[in-house]
Amino acid sequence: MARVSLTERIKQDLFLLDGAMGTELIARGIDVGKCNDYLNIEQPDIIFNIHRSYFEAGSDAVIANTFGANKYVLGRHGLAEETIKINKAGVQIARDAAGENKYVLGDIGPSGDFLEPVGPLKAQDLKDAYVQQANALMDGGVDGFIIETMTALEEITVAIEAVKSISGDLPVFASMSFDKAGDDFKTMMGVDVEAAVAKIVSLGVDAVGFNCGTLSLNGYIDLAKKYVSAVQGQSADVVVYAEPNAGRPELVEEKAVYKVSPDDFAEIVEEIHAAGVNIVGGCCGTGPAHIRATAEKLKR
Ligand SMILES: [Zn+2]
């Protein structure tokens, strides 16, 4: 079976991403404060096994374990010098798990700091850091990039511009995380759906969406509908994607616990897909069982 390019594939029928990495690592005994990205070097088997479990559950693509592998986040673990190595290793592990016919996205997350004038980060320095990470992901052999869990429009703009400056024909996905704000949705930094979509689509991405957040499952359906209508007003070419959490986190003994069952998750994802979202997956609290239930419900 010849594999079509990811850019083409996401415009065809439903494209299923994976579930969470972070909460899966915690479930497998990795400490919460640890540098998850460094596991690509220290414990590649655990990462490989998580990727494999998602492909076996029905994912069309996995997201490499490089969410925090930019020099700022790695720097907080004393690992800034290892940035390139960690990214390349993360892609290699995902590629090994993907085989010939499945796809690998390079994961790019926030720096954990704010741009001037709100914070100390200079836009050019941040851009350089994202270019460095994206180049390493590209060298590792990704099929595309996913910039995710962003809350500030300025930071996601810098990240998209950085990735697009080196990505060539590879597709770029970009998503922000939303909370409930009255009857509406806003990111932690106060960005609403219309502003997010207008800006992100104008930067020439292939897919725009939302991931993570603190919404209830029904909230994610409403958010999906809002996204679809906002994107339709901007561009017919851009695909919408959604990676909801397994519901709202509940605090149990000071740990965030996600309680939504795989079947309930799959039902909500079916409605999100019916609303016009072609790329779906899960964020925090979703595991292989959630992806399997979704695949069984939506991919027949
Ligand atoms: Zn998440």
Side-chain angles (χ1 to χ4, degrees), residues 20 23 67 148-149 177 211-213 220 243-245 258 282-285:
T23 46
F67 176 72
E148 56 175 358
T149 326
S177 299
N211 76 288
C212 216
Y220 286 115
E243 294 178 283
N245 287 343
Y258 298 84
C283 204
C284 301

